[in-house]
Amino acid sequence: MTQPGGQQAALPDLMDEVKKILERVLMVDPEDLAPEAELVRDLGAESIDFVDLIFQLEDLTARRVTAEDWDGWIKARLPNPEKGEGITVSVVHEFAQYLTVHPSQEL
């Protein structure tokens, strides 16, 4: 989007957008979304929440994201992702960043 004078408008902060998504999906208060907060342990996420999260990230990044994309990305970065351990707000933000930087590449 271009502002008067030809300057580019600043894009919304991605971390803020990720936090808004997590707030909606997990029905938590914004102050609970510290970067190190774990989605399962601290915020009560369940498996169905991760499905909704993937759909919301698709909308945010305008990129198709499969469950396999998410699983592969998480498994490459976390020691015990099967139980959702270690999936933090920051990890979701990093995934969203990856999607925006690599919009046309396979994960």
Side-chain angles (χ1 to χ4, degrees):
M1 177 191 309
T2 304
Q3 296 177 339
Q7 294 179 342
Q8 287 288 335
L11 294 175
D13 180 68
L14 189 58
M15 179 59 107
D16 289 342
E17 293 300 315
V18 167
K19 285 182 176 183
K20 287 177 189 175
I21 289 170
L22 290 170
E23 184 181 343
R24 282 191 312 267
V25 169
L26 301 176
M27 296 184 287
V28 296
D29 293 324
E31 55 271 2
D32 294 333
L33 295 171
E36 67 280 356
E38 288 193 25
L39 274 58
V40 174
R41 185 188 68 203
D42 301 328
L43 303 175
E46 297 178 357
S47 58
I48 192 69
D49 295 320
F50 288 98
V51 174
D52 193 9
L53 175 61
I54 290 170
F55 287 133
Q56 297 291 324
L57 290 173
E58 283 184 328
D59 289 342
L60 176 65
T61 62
R63 178 167 190 248
R64 175 129 168 72
V65 180
T66 66
E68 291 78 22
D69 294 334
W70 167 259
D71 289 343
W73 195 88
I74 292 296
K75 286 178 182 176
R77 284 155 182 81
L78 299 176
N80 194 12
E82 289 79 21
K83 296 181 180 181
E85 294 175 12
I87 301 175
T88 63
V89 172
S90 287
V91 168
V92 176
H93 175 242
E94 290 168 17
F95 184 65
Q97 281 181 313
Y98 181 85
L99 293 174
T100 60
V101 173
H102 303 287
S104 62
Q105 294 182 2
E106 297 273 335
L107 291 178

